[in-house]
Amino acid sequence: MTSPLGDTGHAPYSSKQIGPQAGLFTACFSVVAATDPHTLSRVLEPFTKRAITPSYVHAARAGAKGELMHIDLELAGADADIAWRLANDLRGQWLVEKVLTSEKAAADIPS
């Protein structure tokens, strides 16, 4: 329900929108962490504190007894600096055991 002021009752939209620009790519993060009720919120924290919404998030329990979580995240429109900072912040999070990074860029198709 919308109020007369146009407020829908949700927090104001403040997530940074990053458009396609030269030198930008999709940063990919593959995180292995211990299974815990706080794991996902801790992994998302470096994005949240920068008001950035990942473009893709997938999490699944792994290990013989489900003791690990594999979390894949992507951030479209990232630059090398923000990707490096996010990866370092992820590596410093409690419960995180390993962070692998990669990048995806649009293919250059000859005309």
Side-chain angles (χ1 to χ4, degrees):
M1 179 178 214
T2 304
S3 76
L5 299 176
D7 181 18
T8 60
H10 299 287
Y13 184 77
S14 62
S15 186
K16 293 180 185 174
Q17 294 295 305
I18 306 172
Q21 298 173 9
L24 300 182
F25 55 88
T26 298
C28 304
F29 307 91
S30 182
V31 179
V32 177
T35 298
D36 184 89
H38 303 278
T39 300
L40 283 175
S41 61
R42 289 188 178 274
V43 167
L44 291 171
E45 184 179 318
F47 295 86
T48 303
K49 74 179 187 181
R50 291 176 174 82
I52 297 173
T53 303
S55 4
Y56 174 82
V57 178
H58 175 79
R61 290 179 74 167
K65 298 179 182 178
E67 68 277 8
L68 296 174
M69 290 189 76
H70 288 185
I71 306 162
D72 294 318
L73 303 108
E74 292 183 5
L75 178 61
D79 61 25
D81 181 61
I82 193 67
W84 181 84
R85 290 176 189 276
L86 287 167
N88 277 341
D89 284 356
L90 287 167
R91 289 181 181 109
Q93 291 294 327
W94 180 63
L95 299 171
V96 171
E97 296 181 11
K98 185 186 307 185
V99 178
L100 304 175
T101 60
S102 62
E103 61 183 63
K104 294 194 291 189
D108 288 330
I109 300 173
S111 342

